[in-house]
Amino acid sequence: MKNGTSRLCDFEFDRAAIARAAAENRLLTMEIEFSLRCNFRCPYCYVPEESYFDGELTTEEIRDVLMQAKEMGARRIIILGGEPSIYPHIRDMIGFIQDQGMDVEMFTNGSGITTDFAQWLFDRQVRVVMKMNTFDADLQDRLAGKPGAGRIIAEAFDHLKQAGYPSRDAFLAVSTIICRQNLEELPRLWCWLREQGIAPYFEIITPQANALENSWLDVDPHTLHRLFEALAETDRKRYGRTWRVQPPLVGNRCLRHQFSCLVTSEGAVMPCVGVTISQGNVREQPLKTIIENSPVLKDLKNYPNTIKGPCGSCDQADGCYGCRGAAYQITGDYLASDPMCWRNCAAGGRGPRKE
């Protein structure tokens, strides 16, 4: 993939494909939760209480919605969680997706990435996004809410590398949340990943669920801006990569509402994990009907004319609308300006909550 701001770094699609998908109410990707069961308890996550799991989709229901996504043009299915690697039917589901001609990308904390499973994933060219927030094992345990998490992640990395990740056909990335505790080491982690051919996926925490109870993680927008600028300069000088500095992803745009959606483990269809407004349920309506009739997705696809405040008039508004999840979770309005964006704050918008 060529470097530059005209295309997302390693994760998405070109602007023409995105525009066609938005205009035709089609999909390029679909995010799906097979289950929200997880053995980690991250202080920034949204894993629910145990009683939630009684209503999760069956494997038959999952297969049905995957087929619907294919019919709507989806090229890639992105498996979220919970923790997919410990989902009992994970191999069957991945095999089913690939049998339909769609790529698979799986976000994982590494818990189920054994030597055998890593090789299985590599042989099938599954795109793997490992969760890793720090080099410090003790801090990683704290940020995962689980003793031994740092060791689990390190062992999973070893298994993936032994299997052959990363390679031209076996994409490997690292998903890292930006928090107060790991700020100083993030430039080193970024370079460590780049030098191994692993794509860094650094993200501002969306203030929802558990994150609302853990303000000790918060980073103010101006500090975030300095970090983004520093990483952009590093990427340009050391690795020849040029990209636009904008939230919520370092080196990437988030325009997923143009071409994607989330299907939760209970079948609800939402714009994304941050915009937690159910547009319908696949147990009651076809996916195509839900997406075509969603007023929220219509607003977001028409973002040049619907986003409010400084985000709407920003000189980067042609390819950025901030984090819609942050806007919704903080203000209650998914079309509001992103309160976590340093440009919004400079224009008089709100920053993160105070301790």
Side-chain angles (χ1 to χ4, degrees):
M1 181 178 296
K2 293 182 179 180
N3 300 324
T5 57
S6 63
R7 189 166 181 179
L8 298 174
C9 303
D10 302 317
F11 282 86
E12 306 293 1
F13 305 91
D14 62 67
R15 295 290 292 272
I18 292 172
R20 285 194 300 272
E24 297 170 4
N25 281 318
R26 296 179 67 80
L27 298 173
L28 294 176
T29 71
M30 183 179 75
E31 300 175 359
I32 188 167
E33 303 164 347
F34 293 157
S35 174
L36 284 186
R37 293 185 185 276
C38 188
N39 57 332
F40 283 14
R41 285 296 178 267
C42 302
Y44 51 86
C45 195
Y46 56 91
V47 171
E49 297 297 326
E50 187 71 20
S51 60
Y52 176 94
F53 304 125
D54 295 339
E56 294 193 321
L57 296 173
T58 66
T59 54
E60 290 77 14
E61 289 173 320
I62 292 171
R63 289 189 181 95
D64 182 66
V65 74
L66 290 170
M67 287 295 293
Q68 293 182 57
K70 175 189 175 181
E71 291 169 3
M72 293 189 67
R75 304 180 193 173
R76 181 183 306 151
I77 300 299
I78 301 170
I79 305 171
L80 306 178
E83 175 44 43
S85 71
I86 63 174
Y87 178 65
H89 310 291
I90 187 61
R91 297 194 192 205
D92 290 342
M93 289 296 103
I94 289 174
F96 180 82
I97 293 166
Q98 293 185 328
D99 286 347
Q100 309 312 311
M102 296 182 287
D103 294 336
V104 179
E105 182 168 292
M106 182 178 74
F107 280 69
T108 176
N109 64 31
S111 294
I113 307 294
T114 61
T115 301
D116 174 68
F117 190 39
Q119 190 64 56
W120 189 90
L121 293 168
F122 177 81
D123 291 343
R124 285 154 183 79
Q125 299 180 11
V126 174
R127 295 164 59 94
V128 176
V129 184
M130 277 285 302
K131 298 177 183 178
M132 176 183 174
N133 297 318
T134 173
F135 289 114
D136 184 321
D138 291 337
L139 177 57
Q140 181 61 72
D141 290 0
R142 185 183 182 199
L143 293 175
K146 178 180 177 65
R151 174 185 52 78
I152 289 170
I153 291 168
E155 290 177 353
F157 258 118
D158 287 343
H159 296 154
L160 290 167
K161 289 179 181 178
Q162 289 168 13
Y165 284 93
S167 72
R168 183 177 63 86
D169 297 320
F171 175 85
L172 179 63
V174 159
S175 174
T176 302
I177 58 99
I178 301 168
C179 65
R180 197 179 307 171
Q181 291 68 32
N182 67 1
L183 264 178
E184 291 186 2
E185 64 177 309
L186 288 181
R188 182 165 66 97
L189 177 57
W190 184 274
C191 293
W192 181 76
L193 295 169
R194 280 284 192 236
E195 287 162 12
Q196 297 179 85
I198 301 171
Y201 189 76
F202 289 14
E203 183 172 11
I204 298 171
I205 295 173
T206 303
Q208 67 185 104
N210 291 345
L212 294 174
E213 307 300 323
N214 292 288
S215 60
W216 51 273
L217 296 165
D218 287 353
V219 181
D220 71 86
H222 299 296
T223 301
L224 289 169
H225 186 198
R226 289 192 293 271
L227 173 68
F228 276 54
E229 291 282 6
L231 293 175
E233 184 73 358
T234 295
D235 243 10
R236 184 181 66 80
K237 288 185 174 180
R238 296 185 63 168
Y239 307 109
R241 294 171 176 259
T242 302
W243 39 267
R244 181 184 281 182
V245 173
Q246 60 188 55
L249 307 172
V250 181
N252 286 271
R253 290 193 312 271
C254 182
L255 294 175
R256 68 185 67 184
H257 309 104
Q258 309 300 297
F259 58 86
S260 191
C261 68
L262 167 71
V263 176
T264 74
S265 64
E266 285 194 322
V269 178
M270 298 183 182
C272 65
V273 296
V275 182
T276 50
I277 310 172
S278 177
Q279 301 303 289
N281 195 292
V282 295
R283 284 171 163 158
E284 300 167 358
Q285 293 177 287
L287 181 65
K288 186 175 188 290
T289 299
I290 294 171
I291 290 177
E292 288 181 345
N293 294 328
S294 165
V296 177
L297 286 174
K298 286 179 182 177
D299 282 343
L300 293 173
K301 288 173 182 177
N302 190 30
Y303 71 93
N305 300 311
T306 56
I307 300 298
K308 304 171 184 176
C311 276
S313 58
C314 178
D315 61 9
Q316 294 189 5
D318 62 322
C320 177
Y321 48 41
C323 179
R324 294 297 90 212
Y328 177 68
Q329 296 296 333
I330 293 175
T331 72
D333 182 355
Y334 60 89
L335 295 175
S337 285
D338 179 358
M340 298 298 296
C341 180
W342 43 87
R343 286 171 168 245
N344 185 32
C345 292
R350 293 174 55 190
R353 62 198 178 284
K354 303 296 183 181
E355 289 188 68

